[in-house]
Amino acid sequence: MASFTTFDHPKHRRILEKHVARGLEAGALSFQKRLRVMLSKAGTGKKYPGSSYTSALAGNPPTVQTGMLRNSFVTGKSVSPVKKNATGSTVSVSQASINASIKYAGPLEKTHPFFDPTIRQMAKGRVLDQIMDDRLEDAVREANKVIK
């Protein structure tokens, strides 16, 4: 879609920032969903006597035991205060994040990777690219309406 603005006007910049923030948030939520799927797979290893689950082989995502790891990942967003840069234009940074509230998530990633494979899965499918392309089209569409 053709844009009739360069997003220099403050109103147009706010439209762009709003849609970029929405895209980042949608990307983080998509990642969280895929991560939960990755952490819901059945074990690939041995079933030990007295255990109700099959263990995970090294190099594979961990087996669900209680679901605490899978449910510990939450997404969030933050927007920095608007600041003027050296050229006088305003800059605001939007961030989307995903965090685990369980301390063993990081060390477990070393032997039973789940975070990195999820990132590679999203990159291979260009998921974030598509999400951001859609949000930027929305921004252009909304900015063009303001101009007309």
Side-chain angles (χ1 to χ4, degrees), residues 5 8 23 30 44 49 84 113:
T5 180
D8 288 336
S30 178
T44 54
K84 288 207 179 240

Side-chain angles (χ1 to χ4, degrees), residues 1-2 4 12 141-148:
M1 167 175 281
F4 302 115
H12 298 161
R141 194 174 297 114
E142 186 176 337
N144 285 344
K145 285 180 184 177
V146 171
I147 292 171
K148 291 181 180 181

Side-chain angles (χ1 to χ4, degrees), residues 31-41 56-63 68-73 98-122:
F31 180 80
Q32 180 184 29
K33 179 181 174 184
R34 290 165 195 277
L35 187 63
R36 287 182 181 206
V37 168
M38 178 78 64
L39 291 171
S40 298
K41 295 182 178 177
L57 291 173
N60 291 313
T63 302
M68 287 180 62
L69 176 64
R70 177 183 55 209
N71 295 329
S72 72
F73 287 93
I98 185 161
N99 297 302
S101 59
I102 293 181
K103 293 179 182 178
Y104 61 81
L108 188 59
E109 172 73 14
K110 293 176 185 169
T111 57
H112 297 286
F114 53 91
F115 209 83
D116 189 53
T118 305
I119 291 172
R120 282 189 266 116
Q121 179 189 52
M122 284 187 72

Side-chain angles (χ1 to χ4, degrees), residues 130-145:
Q130 186 60 51
I131 289 170
M132 293 307 292
D133 285 349
D134 292 347
R135 295 298 77 76
L136 291 174
E137 279 186 27
D138 292 345
V140 168
R141 194 174 297 114
E142 186 176 337
N144 285 344
K145 285 180 184 177

